Structures are given as C-alpha cells and as structure tokens.
Amino acid sequence: MIFDHAFETEAQIEIRELARKFSREKIAPIVEHDEETETFRREIIQGLGELGLTGIPTSDDFGGAGLGYQEYIGAIEEIAAASGSYAVSIAVSGLPQVILEQQGNEFQKKKYIPKLASGEWVGSFVLSEAGSGSDAASLRTTAVKNGDSYLLNGTKLWITQADSADVFIAMARTGGPGAKGVSAFILEKGMPGIKMGKREKKMGMSISHTMEVLLENVKVPAENLIANEGDGMKVAFAALDSGRITIAATALGIARSAIEAARSHANLREQFGKPILDFQGVGFMLADMLNDYQAAKLMVQKAAMLKDSGKPFSLQAAQAKVVATDMAMKVTTDAVQILGGSGYTQEFPVERHMREAKMLQIVEGTNQIQRLVISRALKQV
Ligand code: CAA
C-alpha cells in the first residue's frame, strides 16, 4: 500500500474507514456539481454526525466520541480527499466545541456542545475583520455591557459557514486596545441584529460559504461571555492551535487525492510508446509527491499526538499547518502538470484540488503567520 496507514491503532483505522466510506458514497458523487453551484448540504453534516464524526475529539460527557485528534485527523483526511469544503466545514464546526470544552462553564458546555458534537448544529468562528486578519488582536467590533447583557456592534469578514451556523463564537472588544481588551461571546442564530452581508465569490472551496457578518446592536446575555472579560484572544488563539491541526489534515486529504489521480494518469497515459510514469521526469516527480505527503503526515500526527497527551503543541501545530499546506499546494500543482492539458480542464479533479490547496495556505493563520509563531519559538531569552 503506498498510502500506508498500518501504524494506526484499530480505533483510528475504524474511524478513518467510516469517514472514507461515507465520503466516497455520499460526498464524492455530488462534489463537482455542488462546488459549481456553491451548494452546501446540511444533510452531509448530519450524516457525518450520525456516524459520530462531527465530535470525534469532544468528550463523551457532552455527546462527543471521546476520542482524540489522532482519530480526528484520519477522518478529516478522508473527508478532504472527497471534498476540501466539507473537511473545512467539520473543522470549523469543531472550533466552538474545543473552545467551550476548554474555556466554557458547565452551563455553556451542556447547552451548546452536544448539539454541535452530534452534527445537529453547525458552528462558526467569528474573529476576522476587514482591518484585522493576521493582526487579529486589533479587531474593532465592540461589546458594551448594559445591565445583564452586552451589545455587540461591528462587521466581521471571511467567516466560514456563518449563513448555515446555529452557534457562533465571536470576538469583540470590551476594553482598551490590544489583545487584553478582547472578549469572546457565544451568539445564537436568530438573535436580532445578526445579519449576513456579502457571500465571497472564491476561487475554490465554494461549497463552504465565506460570509461577511454584520453585528448591529446584537443583545447577548452576559451568561454567554466565555471565561472572563479580556480573555477573548487567548480563547481564540488556543482554539486556532487545535484548528491548525485540522487544516493540516485537510491538506493531507487533498494532496492524497491529487497523487492518486496523477499516479493513475501516469500509469495509463502512453507517449513515445510507454506509460509516462516510466519517464524519470514524471516518475521522480511522483516519487517526490509521495515522499512529501508522507513527511507532512508524520508532522500532523506528531502535533495530534502531543495534543492528545496534554503536552504543549502550539509550535508543532504551526509547523504541521505550514508544512502540510505548502506540501498540498506543491503536490496539487505537480498533479496538474502530470495530467498536462487534461489536468487544466474540469474533466479531472486535480484543478479543483489545486484551488482547494491554495485556501489552506491562507486560513486559520496564513503560512507567514505560522512562520512567525515558529520563529518566535526560536528566540533565545
Ligand atoms: N494559546 C493561548 N494563548 C495565546 C496563544 C496560544 N497559542 N498565543 C498567544 N496567546 C496569548 C498571549 O499569551 C497573550 O496573552 P498575555 O499578554 O496575557 O501573555 C495574548 O494571547 C496575545 O498574544 P500575542 O501578544 O502573542 O498576540 P499578537 O497580537 O502578537 O499576535 C499572532 C500573535 C501569532 C500574530 C496572532 O495574532 C495570530 O495567530 N494571527 C493570525 C490570526 C488567525 O489565525 N486568523 C484566522 C481566523 S479564522 C479563519 O481563518 C477562518 C475560519 O472560519 C476558521
């Protein structure tokens, strides 16, 4: 087996195969059509939920599967191999779960996590703004305390699946400038004042909608504040550490699909009287693609293992994210090259994989921000 999962535990293989079967049977047949028409199907999330795949690392006390990130990354890789969009959707719906499990109080955990973990609800993470992307802590949305509630005002941008979300974790400023002035809140679909703005027209990942979200005098009960006032950026950054592992796993799935397509083509396509795989220019390219995929996979697994064992993993999550997503960009670009004229057409999935990979170098912290996190860890004090 060139894609060797033999070192995975039985539980990891079982979860991977559940996800693979569902993705091949239910997602792969509709993905090209739905990417074209920008159609997000809620029933896909519900179907994944029925298999226990929407809350894999979430505690079974709150309706999750009670497993770890090592199982989670296998499932995400399989979903991504069929559709990058649905892998990102599951990953983003996981962010409110990880936030509430780590930082929520008992009331918040019981109220929100079970429905997110079961796939009945979809979650969204509402951080970025037009003026605060990489510099997340400079956000300008305000939350002003008024009796037993807060009034939120501002405009958020690049928010994944906000238009289908039931629960949002939104960061807003309750204090002065900088990270210490930011707090995190739980918002619910239907709260007056939450409005959807424009939906971005993207180069890929179009099943997963990217929304502008307008918050106009949204009254949020004070009990929906997560942790304490001023903890918002810590809540967000800690969640992004976990999220970056899932984005890296998404990159693995996309890259693997591209390698499979390029390998098949290189075996079948004959030029000058032999399969093009037999020309070293192509064969060595595929060899490098496979090597790079497997090296990245080890880094993603290492970050997941560290997280599962409760050890610090911010650095390794950033490394896994940058290495896996840069790998996916290179591998998908090379796959298009190996398929040649066919690779550039929509008859084959590799051009979609290439467009999907590009997004992963940007979301949940650009790869420049990951390198910033890594270089900060190298600073000698
Ligand atoms: N975990 C917990 N706390 C953390 C942390 C982490 N990984 N990283 C930093 N913090 C804490 C710091 O300790 C600090 O608190 P104290 O002052 O009390 O020590 C506070 O958070 C602020 O940290 P910094 O001073 O390091 O923050 P900074 O302003 O210098 O920013 C950064 C650092 C790495 C550049 C950060 O801003 C960053 O990661 N930017 C990228 C943002 C991002 O990933 N956005 C993606 C949005 S979501 C998305 O893509 C789409 C979607 O739908 C999911």
Side-chain angles (χ1 to χ4, degrees):
M1 277 236 311
I2 62 162
F3 298 108
D4 185 7
H5 309 302
F7 49 87
E8 293 181 341
T9 64
E10 273 185 28
Q12 287 160 18
I13 292 171
E14 196 180 314
I15 292 286
R16 176 184 287 285
E17 296 203 328
L18 261 183
R20 178 182 306 195
K21 187 168 186 301
F22 183 90
S23 302
R24 288 191 175 170
E25 289 175 3
K26 305 282 188 210
I27 302 179
I30 54 166
V31 68
E32 303 297 349
H33 171 272
D34 287 3
E35 281 293 327
E36 188 69 33
T37 55
E38 303 183 1
T39 308
F40 175 77
R41 296 181 198 239
R42 187 94 185 195
E43 63 268 27
I44 294 290
I45 306 300
Q46 282 158 354
L48 289 164
E50 280 159 22
L51 296 173
L53 300 175
T54 43
I56 293 172
T58 301
S59 159
D60 42 13
D61 292 343
F62 302 108
L67 295 166
Y69 269 65
Q70 292 170 87
E71 287 76 27
Y72 196 21
I73 56 172
I76 296 223
E77 179 179 345
E78 294 303 329
I79 298 166
S83 161
S85 288
Y86 279 113
V88 166
S89 173
I90 295 298
V92 170
S93 229
L95 286 176
Q97 296 180 55
V98 79
I99 288 174
L100 293 172
E101 204 168 354
Q102 283 172 358
Q103 318 273 352
N105 59 36
E106 281 309 298
F107 169 78
Q108 294 168 344
K109 288 181 187 177
K110 286 194 180 127
K111 182 167 179 193
Y112 296 104
I113 300 179
K115 286 191 169 150
L116 288 163
S118 69
E120 184 183 340
W121 281 359
V122 166
S124 185
F125 181 76
V126 185
L127 174 63
S128 303
E129 299 178 4
S132 62
S134 292
D135 184 9
S138 68
L139 63 85
R140 297 175 68 168
T141 292
T142 54
V144 177
K145 188 134 195 221
N146 184 8
D148 57 1
S149 58
Y150 289 84
L151 269 191
L152 266 64
N153 278 288
T155 303
K156 297 289 187 174
L157 210 55
W158 308 303
I159 308 304
T160 303
Q161 65 196 12
D163 55 343
S164 21
D166 303 278
V167 181
F168 310 80
I169 306 288
M171 270 47 74
R173 189 164 299 285
T174 45
K180 288 187 169 49
V182 176
S183 303
F185 297 91
I186 309 165
L187 274 56
E188 287 179 39
K189 178 182 173 179
M191 281 181 170
I194 303 179
K195 295 181 184 159
M196 292 304 127
K198 67 174 169 170
R199 187 164 99 202
E200 304 293 349
K201 194 90 187 141
K202 307 198 300 277
M203 73 187 277
M205 298 275 202
S206 300
I207 288 173
S208 164
H209 296 172
T210 301
M211 305 298 302
E212 178 184 42
V213 178
L214 313 175
L215 302 174
E216 293 175 3
N217 288 320
V218 182
K219 191 173 171 188
V220 181
E223 65 187 21
N224 284 22
L225 172 71
I226 301 172
N228 300 304
E229 273 195 19
D231 287 341
M233 288 321 298
K234 287 187 190 173
V235 167
F237 290 153
L240 284 167
D241 284 344
S242 301
R244 286 166 186 169
I245 301 177
T246 63
I247 295 299
T250 303
L252 295 178
I254 291 169
R256 201 187 73 205
S257 265
I259 296 171
E260 279 167 348
R263 176 199 186 191
S264 163
H265 183 83
N267 274 283
L268 295 172
R269 170 85 172 155
E270 290 193 0
Q271 290 290 277
F272 306 102
K274 56 183 180 180
I276 59 170
L277 181 76
D278 292 345
F279 294 99
Q280 285 190 345
V282 174
F284 283 14
M285 214 169 170
L286 268 164
D288 284 342
M289 289 157 74
L290 185 61
N291 291 343
D292 292 348
Y293 160 83
Q294 280 168 341
K297 184 166 178 147
L298 287 173
M299 293 187 74
V300 182
Q301 282 172 328
K302 180 179 170 187
M305 280 169 72
L306 284 171
K307 172 151 176 75
D308 288 345
S309 61
K311 296 186 178 132
F313 66 97
S314 299
L315 168 64
Q316 290 78 9
Q319 289 180 299
K321 198 266 183 185
V322 73
V323 169
T325 62
D326 283 353
M327 175 279 296
M329 193 70 247
K330 179 168 188 311
V331 159
T332 55
T333 306
D334 287 348
V336 169
Q337 189 69 22
I338 289 172
L339 269 79
S342 301
Y344 202 66
T345 71
Q346 294 186 353
E347 289 292 306
F348 293 85
V350 287
E351 62 82 35
R352 170 170 60 83
H353 297 321
M354 187 176 166
R355 290 184 285 108
E356 289 177 339
K358 186 67 226 173
M359 190 177 105
L360 303 180
Q361 293 182 303
I362 299 168
V363 285
E364 299 214 12
T366 62
N367 283 3
Q368 286 68 35
I369 287 296
Q370 308 310 320
R371 290 183 171 92
L372 176 71
V373 170
I374 297 161
S375 66
R376 280 184 179 183
L378 293 170
K379 186 130 177 106
Q380 292 179 326
V381 283

